[in-house]
Amino acid sequence: MRRIAGVVAAVLLAGSVTACGYHPLYATRGDGLDVAGQLAAIAIPEPDVRLEQEVRNALMSSLQNGGGAGTYTLTLAAKGTAGNVVSNPSPGMYRYNYALTVSYKLLRTSGGDVLTAGTSKSFVSYDRFKQPVAALGTQADAEARAARDVADDIRTRLAAYFSSHTPQQ
């Protein structure tokens, strides 16, 4: 009798979970739209700043976008700063933190309405040495890692937006 009650409780619990409105982020919705298709319809203008270009490149590959004109336009504004955390001059090693902040706006290409906007941040640590070439390489690597982190966060936020909003034509 206990076993039957357990099975009945499990079935009722499973039914209540499906009724809560949970659905996979990248699933095709009832209206035929899918998040992946919406993300692929985002055009990202070519920026003039190298840091914004790194974020754009990471976003383009994760959005599966070919870079052409799209239904949506994503604008980016990036700012990066490096700060010394630990200095140990005897071996010539310094520890830095690199902070990247990117503000973004998703616009409808026709009309220019702002659909969603936000700010994403990433903090990355790296070592810097007395050798100039190595120092430049470690800083460039930190910038690239931070750009990928921010791009992943922005992609997730955009996917969540498209998952919960029906685009108005």
Side-chain angles (χ1 to χ4, degrees):
M1 192 63 155
R2 284 187 156 190
R3 184 173 264 172
I4 293 173
V7 169
V8 169
V11 169
L12 290 175
L13 181 63
S16 67
V17 170
T18 59
C20 74
Y22 170 79
H23 60 279
L25 182 62
Y26 290 101
T28 301
R29 299 185 334 199
D31 56 8
L33 294 173
D34 65 333
V35 171
Q38 297 293 321
L39 291 174
I42 297 174
I44 307 171
E46 192 80 36
D48 295 329
V49 180
R50 186 182 78 77
L51 190 54
E52 291 172 6
Q53 182 68 42
E54 286 198 38
V55 175
R56 178 186 185 266
N57 290 347
L59 273 168
M60 297 273 297
S61 64
S62 69
L63 296 177
Q64 302 299 315
N65 188 320
T71 308
Y72 310 102
T73 302
L74 184 69
T75 62
L76 304 169
K79 181 181 181 197
T81 57
N84 191 357
V85 179
V86 177
S87 296
N88 192 354
S90 59
M93 187 202 75
Y94 304 92
R95 186 76 174 166
Y96 280 78
N97 279 340
Y98 181 77
L100 175 62
T101 303
V102 177
S103 299
Y104 67 91
K105 286 183 188 176
L106 181 67
L107 310 163
R108 187 179 325 282
T109 302
S110 63
D113 303 336
V114 176
L115 301 174
T116 186
T119 301
S120 181
K121 297 179 181 185
S122 178
F123 299 94
V124 177
S125 296
Y126 66 99
D127 295 326
R128 193 165 179 174
F129 304 96
K130 283 186 178 178
Q131 295 86 6
V133 174
L136 290 174
T138 57
Q139 183 173 349
D141 180 60
E143 290 173 0
R145 286 185 289 142
R148 285 191 304 271
D149 288 347
V150 167
D152 288 344
D153 182 53
I154 292 172
R155 184 201 64 237
T156 302
R157 290 178 186 208
L158 293 173
Y161 171 79
F162 285 125
S163 177
S164 62
H165 291 80
T166 302
Q168 306 293 323
Q169 298 301 332

